[in-house]
Structure formats: C-alpha cells, structure tokens
Amino acid sequence: MWQSSPPGSIYDYIRVASFSIGPDGLIEQWSRRAAGLFGMASDEVVGRDPVEAFMPAELRPDAHRRVGEILDGKEWTGLVPFRIPGENAVRGLAEIYVMPSETGAGERAALCIVVDVRALRRIETDLAASQAIFGQSPFGFVLFGTDFAVVRANKRFATVFGGEADDHRGRTVEDYLARPEAERLSATLERVLETGEAVTDLQLVGTPPGSLGRRHWSMNLYRVHSGSGRPVGIAGLATDVTQRHIAAREAASARRNLALLNEASARIGNSLDLETTARELLDVAVPGFCDLASVDLYQGLLTGEEASPASWGRHHQESGTGSAELRRVAHASAVSDALPGVLPGVGADAGDSGQPALGSVHRYPFHSPCAVALRTGRVEDVPGDERGFVHSTLAVPMVAHDIVVGLVQFSRTKGSEPFGERDRALATELAARAAVCIDNARLYRREHERALILQRSLLPPGDPEAAGLDIACRYLPGNTATEVGGDWFDVIELPGHRTALVVGDVMGRGLRAAVAMGELRTAVRTLALLDLEPAEVLSALDEVARGLGTPGGGERSDGFGAGGGAQWPSRAAHKSREADLSEVYLATCVYAVYDPVTRRCTFANAGHLPPVVAEPGEPALLLDVPPGMPLGVGGEPFEEVEVELKEGSLLALYTDGLVESRDHPLDEGLDAFRHALAEPSQPLEDVCDHVLTTLDTRHGEDDIALLMARIQGLAPDAVGDWRLPRELRSVARARELARDQLTAWGLDDLVDTTELLVSELVTNALRYGEGEIRLRLLRDRTLVCEVWDAGLVQPRRRRARDTDEGGRGLQLVGLLSAAWGSRRTPRGKTVWFELALPDGEPAAELSVEQLLSMY
C-alpha cells in the first residue's frame, strides 16, 4: 500500500532532499524538496553543473574530481559546503549521500540524497533541551494526546502518582482524580484543544495513591503543535500548592481572629457595669468564636468588698474544699434552646444538671479544670461529654493586671472544629480585655471621688485675667448622686493681647465624659497656642473628638434640623442616662477670639447654644452664630462670625444645664436667661450670682458652666500703629517710632531692647516678606510688638554658621524677649514679640552661654 509523508512528519524538520546527476555530470532530475532546500526551481537547475551552481569557487576543482569518481562507479558520503541562494552568499553545510546508478542505456549516473546539517544540529539541540526540561523539572509535567490519554509523563509526575514514568502512558484523567475533578479537567482539556487558548492556575484537588491527606494542585495547560501547525496534544504543568492553601487557610483564620479582636475593642467596655461587660464579651464570642459560653465572676468583686482581689482566690491555696464563691453572671448559646444543661449556664439548674444557673452562687471542685484555671491563671481544657454534643471547651481565667477576677468558658459543639493553639491565644485575649474592663469598673467605684477632684482640677482658676476684659465665671457640678459630667470653660491668652474664650460640653456622663472633656480642653489649649482662626480650631478639634471614639446609635442626629424653628440643637435626648455611652465622644463647643484693640470678637460654634450679648441700655440678645455640627460628627465645615462689641457690653457663654430642664422647654430657659441680664452694669460677680439665683436651673440634674466677660477695649493711647513703605530706610524709621512711643509711655528701660528687636523683625520683613509693612506696639500688662507683611512664608529660627554675617536675628528675638512667634493673617503674616514691663529692677544681662548659643 502506498503511503505518503503527512504534514508535520520528521521530514519537515530534518530537510531531506534528492536530485540525480546524468552521465554528462549535469543535473538531470530535481526534486521539490531540493528546490525548497536550495531555493531554486527545477527549470533553474536541470542541465547545470552542480559544482558550478552550488559550490564555492575555491572548492570547485576538488569537487569536479569527486564527481568524476562518482560517475566511474565510486560511492561517496561526506560534508559539502554549498551556497544558499538568496541569502547574500551565506554558506550552508550539507551531508550528501551519493550512490552510483545506471541509465536505461547502461550509462553511469548518480543519485544524491542531501540532508541540511544545520537542521540536524538544531533538532539534536532541541531534543537535548526538551529532555532536560521534561526530565529534570521539579514540577509534574504530562503530555496528553488528542484523545486525552497520557502520551508522556516526567519523573516528578510519576513520583506523586506512583510507578515509573513509562507506566503512565495511555492513562486518562479518571485514573488520577475523583469523578467531579476528573470531569472538570476533561472539559478543560477539550476546550484547550478546540480553542488553543491556554489555561493557567487551574485548581485541582485529589488524593495521590498511598496518601491519606488531600492535596491541592495548580495546573497550567496549553496546546502543542507540530512543525506545520497541526495540534498534536496538550501539555500540562502541575504544581503542588497544598502548603499555599494551608497558609491561606491560616491567614484567613488569623484575619477572622483579628476582626474578632477589633470587634471586641469596639463592643467590650462601653459600660462600667460588671454584668453588662460580661454580656458584651459573650455577644462578641457567640457565635463568631464558639457555640456556647458562660462567665463567672468572684462574689467579692460583685459585692464591692474592700479586700484585695487577690484574697478572693486565696481560698485555692488555703484549703482543698474548692474555689472561692463565684456567681454566674452571663451565658450565651448559638444552639437550640431545646438542649438545656449541656454547658455550664445554659438553662441549667445546679440541682439537676450539676451546672450553675444564671445568677446562682457556686464553687468549683478543687481539682476540677475550672478551679485549676482560677488557681493558676492558665487556660485549661475541659473534657467533653461523650454522650453530649459539646466536644471542646476552654476554661479561661479572666486576668487583669495579674489578678484573676473570674472565669469564662468557651465551648464548641460537634460539627465545629476543635479549639487549636491560635484559638487558645484568642480566647485568652478576649477574656483579658473583658477582665480589664471589669477591673476598671471595680476601680471606678473606689475612684469616683478622685475623678470628681480631677475634673475640677481641669477647670481654669477662679479669677482669670485678660487684656481688655473683665471676667467672671461659675462652675456648679451636679450633686453627689449624679455622675461626673463633661462641661468645661477656659480663658486662654493669645498673642497681641487677644483672648480666647471657650465653653464646651461633652455629651454623656460618667468618668469617660470627664476624661474626654479633659482631652478636648487640652487640645483646645494646644490649638489656641498655634494661633489658628476659630473655625480652624474647631475643625482640628473635631478630628480630635472623632479619634476619641466612634459615636454610636441612631440618636446622633436627634434634635438637629428638626422643626419648630430652633437654630440650635436640643440636648435632652443626649443627656438621657439610657443614651448610648459611646456618645460621650460627641461634644459641643463655642470658641471666641476677642481683640481689645478693635473690640471685635470672632465666634465659631460646634453645635453649642448661642452666645448672649447685652449692650448698655439694650436688652440681651442671642448672637446669630451658625450652630454647626457637634464635635466628633465630622463632614461639615464650621463658619465664623465677627461682631464688634461696644464698650461696656456683657458677653455670656454657658452650657445647657443653665437654661434646659425637664420641667420647661429650652426656649423658655433662654428667655429667662436674657431677662436675668437686664442689669448688665452691675459688678460682674453680682451679675453671675443674680443669674444663678434667678433661673430655675433645677441644679443637680446637670453640671452648669457660666463664663461672662465685660468688654473694656484698650485705650487709644495704649496702641501705636504705623505703616511703613517697603524700602531700606523703613528700618531706621521703625526704630525711631518705637523709641518715641516707648519714651511717651515712660518705658525708657525697654527702649534699647525694643529698638534692636524691632529692627530685626522689620529687616526680616523687607528681606523675606512682601508688600507694605505694618508696625504696632501694644501696652497693657506687657509690651507687645507686632510686625505685619503680606508674605506667607513663616519665619524659621536657625543656627547660623561661624562664617555667616547674618542669620542670628530670630535667635536674638528669642533670647531677649519673654515670648515670640508668628501667626497667619487674612493678608499675610504677623511676627510678634513680648516684653515684660519694667518693675524697677535692672534688666538681666545675657549670659556668656546664651551669647555663645548663637554661634
């Protein structure tokens, strides 16, 4: 039967050709493969001398001799270089097999078989590389035929699935994988063979022969073609990724544990009630961590005994009768309620199931795992009941500050994974967090009075002073039956004899409200020293408040934007004892900055009640200051309102305890407050007393903070204000103006220092600033000098090098002044310094160390 070489056969790769030489030594027959090899058609070659056509010139004499010998009947084999037509005289190397032949007339001829040596060398190299990759690969390599049977497998593949590599020829995917996985792989092989699209990271699961564990493989599949492009099979590269899956599972478990800890941080400890904290712990643990859980606390802790907590568990060492008395304070279950008594505290009575009921007082036997855990402070495993469905229980002591305060038991039922080492660590952490909160609650009862003292210490002194203001203040705490509150006020001196007036109120009650109040008050003082605009202070304070905690509950927006025409929030809902305790991190605040030179006051409001102003001879009015949102809400900018106050006006800032009561609406309380200020000309202390005695404050329900200030601007002769052109002679002019003004004020002792420092600041304004320069001197309790310019670059104090001729101006300002700094203005910046007024004593001279510090 005749057969032909199909496309894709070995002859497509090795480039074999044939031609014949006639008796005359010329080419007589020229095959198609010869045409493909030499690049010349039959009509170009037949009848030509092969030596002249293909051989290089220097080899032709010897080649003619060889051809003659062949025609004489000598067979010859050898390597012959030849020219490759069309390749710029590139030489090829052919292995020629020459066999003498005879024509029909008996004449001698020759048949030549030609093999391209270059192609043979490439095939040898490719075979060697293929064998190395296939045989030495650390990954499982398998080649499927077009019928999806294994054609070839490497040694690594055989190591996983048993036997030798040759034993796998002819096997199918069903021989390696269970039916679902085998069907999925077969479908993928069909798709790759049909479309030619490679598949990467195909995940397969199976159990190799002789192995008890399931393995995971990642398989890459691609179609394999012959030299002519005909598909001949599918190659697969399999990688064992079992360890990767194990690591991913452990990472997922770690992420779940971390999420559980984050949830515990947010949900545990929002109350100072012991039983509530225990329930919060179980709310987090069930069902996210376990199926059943219970909490026992020492009875001495719950009854408020003054004895040391260590003595509650001393019974463990002093007798063998069992643990000290504990009370079951909480339990939780994620399983059917029809299964009572299977876990301590789950609907069980101590009499019928041996487990304590909720609220009961009990002891654990001395040698029981629970007693051992309480005694040693270490986690203990509680054996499960073979007849029950709880198969894994952890008895975890609740340890706070090296003191055991109780015991929590976590249990998992059959069908859930048993507790592992990671679970033991997580259980310990959960119990420890709850224990710290419980211990804090215990300490709160004892430290409540100290907290009250601390709260009072955060308030400013009783007689604060400020330039251009007469100030009086009152703070009335709730009675002893109420908890610590979060009201505060403050008076902060700012550069330029300006004053910041602050009144705020943290929503909520208790120790956390007082602590939050202290943090916010400290933040306000810090921000005020940065000399920011009032709206900027509240924006930054809002970020601080949001960082203190996450405000919770849908009641956050109660009272804002409601009907009735009110322009400020009602606080009744937020003051409720039942309100979400996380609301202690919401706060309201009014921040005002008063300038005694211009008698202008700039207000910014964060959800607080509006300031009240009473001008001489006029009724008191509520200032129209946009209330804004409370601190801690975020997302809304704060607005500023600037008001010019008349000389002798009365400004009042207050908290809601002064005007709000359960017995009357807020509007009535505000009206009563305004009417109580009908005589603002009285001494300020008397006005404060009159307000508190007149208003029906129902004192005891809430803290009350009242801050009142009478406007007394600086006298015109206490201010020197000049504008200087941007030219060098302005430095001398500034010194002259300062000297003349200080002489007029009788402050001759400060002339030299002031001239020097004014010279430095004006020089810096000329060198680094922009626009017109303004010089201002203010005399009050101290002397303040301010230099204004339109530049935005803030001055920076630096250490000059030994060779520098300048750069020490701000060092001089810092050494010679009582204080100095800079602040932004709407049109640039202001650099200022402050000097104490002379007290008759000679001014202190700079020490050698201070002078050397500038070099």
Side-chain angles (χ1 to χ4, degrees), residues 22-35:
D24 55 0
L26 303 179
I27 297 175
E28 186 176 55
Q29 292 180 335
W30 188 253
S31 68
R32 292 182 180 177
R33 288 189 179 271

Side-chain angles (χ1 to χ4, degrees), residues 807-820:
R808 299 178 178 87
L810 292 181
Q811 294 189 52
L812 277 173
V813 175
L815 288 173
L816 297 177
S817 64
W820 78 279

Side-chain angles (χ1 to χ4, degrees), residues 318-586:
E318 295 178 352
S319 71
T321 59
S323 67
E325 288 187 340
L326 298 109
R327 185 192 301 174
R328 177 64 49 87
V329 296
H331 65 71
S333 172
V335 298
S336 173
D337 292 335
L339 299 171
V342 295
L343 181 73
V346 183
D349 292 325
D352 52 17
S353 69
Q355 305 296 345
L358 182 63
S360 64
V361 178
H362 62 93
R363 299 175 186 267
Y364 285 111
F366 185 80
H367 295 292
S368 65
C370 292
V372 173
L374 289 168
R375 188 163 58 247
T376 63
R378 294 192 299 267
V379 180
E380 293 290 329
D381 292 311
V382 179
D385 186 356
E386 296 181 357
R387 296 173 297 175
F389 68 103
V390 174
H391 69 88
S392 184
T393 299
L394 296 177
V396 186
M398 304 177 72
V399 183
H401 312 298
D402 297 327
I403 298 172
V404 178
V405 298
L407 181 78
V408 57
Q409 295 183 68
F410 302 107
S411 294
R412 289 180 179 175
T413 59
K414 293 180 180 179
S416 301
E417 291 187 5
F419 291 112
E421 286 302 317
R422 290 180 181 271
D423 296 322
R424 293 171 67 92
L426 177 60
T428 303
E429 179 66 21
L430 290 174
R433 294 194 179 197
V436 169
C437 296
I438 288 172
D439 193 52
N440 288 342
R442 176 185 67 84
L443 294 174
Y444 172 77
R445 286 196 295 257
R446 188 185 66 184
E447 301 297 330
H448 181 63
E449 185 61 31
R450 299 180 185 179
L452 290 174
I453 297 174
L454 172 64
Q455 181 196 28
R456 305 301 178 261
S457 69
L458 293 174
L459 299 173
D463 297 315
E465 295 181 356
L469 291 175
D470 181 16
I471 296 177
C473 53
R474 295 290 187 273
Y475 181 83
L476 301 179
N479 59 37
T480 56
T482 59
E483 295 181 280
V484 178
D487 294 11
W488 91 92
F489 66 91
D490 212 342
V491 178
I492 307 170
E493 294 186 63
L494 299 178
H497 288 318
R498 295 169 303 131
T499 304
L501 305 174
V502 190
V503 167
D505 186 0
V506 175
M507 297 182 185
R509 304 200 56 79
L511 181 61
R512 297 178 69 212
V515 172
M517 176 271 284
E519 294 192 25
L520 291 178
R521 178 179 178 273
T522 302
V524 169
R525 280 195 155 266
T526 303
L527 295 169
L529 293 178
L530 297 177
D531 213 352
L532 304 176
E533 295 297 323
E536 293 177 321
V537 170
L538 292 188
S539 296
L541 196 62
D542 179 59
E543 293 294 329
V544 174
R546 292 171 65 187
L548 295 179
T550 303
E555 297 175 344
R556 171 192 286 186
S557 60
D558 289 351
F560 296 93
Q567 299 300 313
W568 49 85
S570 172
R571 302 285 305 282
H574 296 297
K575 288 296 182 178
S576 172
R577 181 70 178 91
E578 292 77 22
D580 188 346
L581 290 178
S582 63
E583 289 183 349
V584 300
Y585 295 127
L586 287 175

Side-chain angles (χ1 to χ4, degrees), residues 274-275 278-279 295-297 302 327-331 357-360:
L274 303 180
E275 296 182 358
R279 287 193 297 269
V295 176
D296 299 315
L297 296 179
L302 297 168
R327 185 192 301 174
R328 177 64 49 87
V329 296
H331 65 71
L358 182 63
S360 64

Side-chain angles (χ1 to χ4, degrees), residues 157-198:
F157 186 87
T159 301
V160 174
F161 290 99
E164 299 294 331
D166 293 339
D167 298 339
H168 293 271
R169 294 181 185 272
R171 293 184 181 178
T172 62
V173 293
E174 286 80 5
D175 297 320
Y176 303 106
L177 300 172
R179 170 175 269 183
E181 292 291 88
E183 291 177 350
R184 193 160 63 90
L185 178 56
S186 296
T188 305
L189 291 173
E190 291 178 6
R191 187 170 68 254
V192 172
L193 184 62
E194 179 181 350
T195 64
E197 295 180 358

Side-chain angles (χ1 to χ4, degrees), residues 527-813:
L527 295 169
L529 293 178
L530 297 177
D531 213 352
L532 304 176
E533 295 297 323
E536 293 177 321
V537 170
L538 292 188
S539 296
L541 196 62
D542 179 59
E543 293 294 329
V544 174
R546 292 171 65 187
L548 295 179
T550 303
E555 297 175 344
R556 171 192 286 186
S557 60
D558 289 351
F560 296 93
Q567 299 300 313
W568 49 85
S570 172
R571 302 285 305 282
H574 296 297
K575 288 296 182 178
S576 172
R577 181 70 178 91
E578 292 77 22
D580 188 346
L581 290 178
S582 63
E583 289 183 349
V584 300
Y585 295 127
L586 287 175
T588 63
C589 180
V590 169
Y591 185 88
V593 174
Y594 172 70
D595 187 343
V597 179
T598 62
R599 294 199 319 277
R600 301 186 70 86
C601 191
T602 304
F603 297 89
N605 192 353
H608 202 80
L609 295 172
V612 175
V613 172
E615 295 183 348
E618 300 291 339
L621 298 174
L622 299 177
L623 286 181
D624 187 14
V625 179
M629 298 299 289
L631 302 174
V633 174
E636 294 293 334
F638 297 98
E639 300 182 44
E640 291 182 359
V641 173
E642 188 176 63
V643 178
E644 183 174 351
L645 302 174
K646 293 182 178 180
E647 185 79 16
S649 297
L650 190 63
L651 173 65
L653 305 178
Y654 53 96
T655 58
D656 60 341
L658 182 68
V659 295
E660 190 174 24
S661 172
R662 297 177 182 177
D663 298 332
H664 57 74
L666 177 60
D667 289 342
E668 290 185 9
L670 290 171
D671 289 339
F673 181 35
R674 291 192 296 109
H675 288 103
L677 298 176
E679 298 293 337
S681 59
Q682 296 179 356
L684 203 54
E685 293 292 337
D686 294 341
V687 175
C688 285
D689 293 336
H690 175 71
V691 168
L692 293 177
T693 56
T694 301
L695 296 184
D696 183 15
T697 61
R698 299 289 182 182
H699 177 52
E701 294 181 1
D702 196 4
D703 292 357
I704 295 175
L706 176 62
L707 177 60
M708 304 188 74
R710 178 168 283 124
I711 305 303
Q712 298 173 350
L714 290 183
D717 60 358
V719 179
D721 196 348
W722 307 276
R723 298 183 183 273
L724 303 173
R726 191 168 190 79
E727 52 189 34
L728 290 177
R729 64 179 181 178
S730 293
V731 179
R733 177 59 178 162
R735 288 197 301 267
E736 179 184 352
L737 292 171
R739 181 173 60 252
D740 293 345
Q741 183 65 70
L742 292 183
T743 301
W745 284 340
L747 301 177
D748 300 87
D749 292 344
L750 300 181
V751 169
D752 293 340
T753 301
T754 304
E755 276 193 273
L756 174 60
L757 300 187
V758 165
S759 177
E760 292 293 342
L761 295 190
V762 174
T763 300
N764 281 348
L766 286 173
R767 181 176 298 175
Y768 305 110
E770 299 176 8
E772 186 182 42
I773 299 172
R774 181 181 177 187
L775 171 65
R776 191 168 78 168
L777 295 177
L778 307 176
R779 185 197 66 185
D780 193 69
R781 290 174 297 162
T782 61
L783 175 68
V784 173
C785 174
E786 298 175 328
V787 175
W788 310 44
D789 69 79
L792 298 177
V793 178
Q794 297 291 320
R796 180 173 60 88
R797 184 174 177 177
R798 65 182 181 87
R799 182 177 294 278
R801 295 186 295 250
D802 295 343
T803 57
D804 289 346
E805 297 181 1
R808 299 178 178 87
L810 292 181
Q811 294 189 52
L812 277 173
V813 175

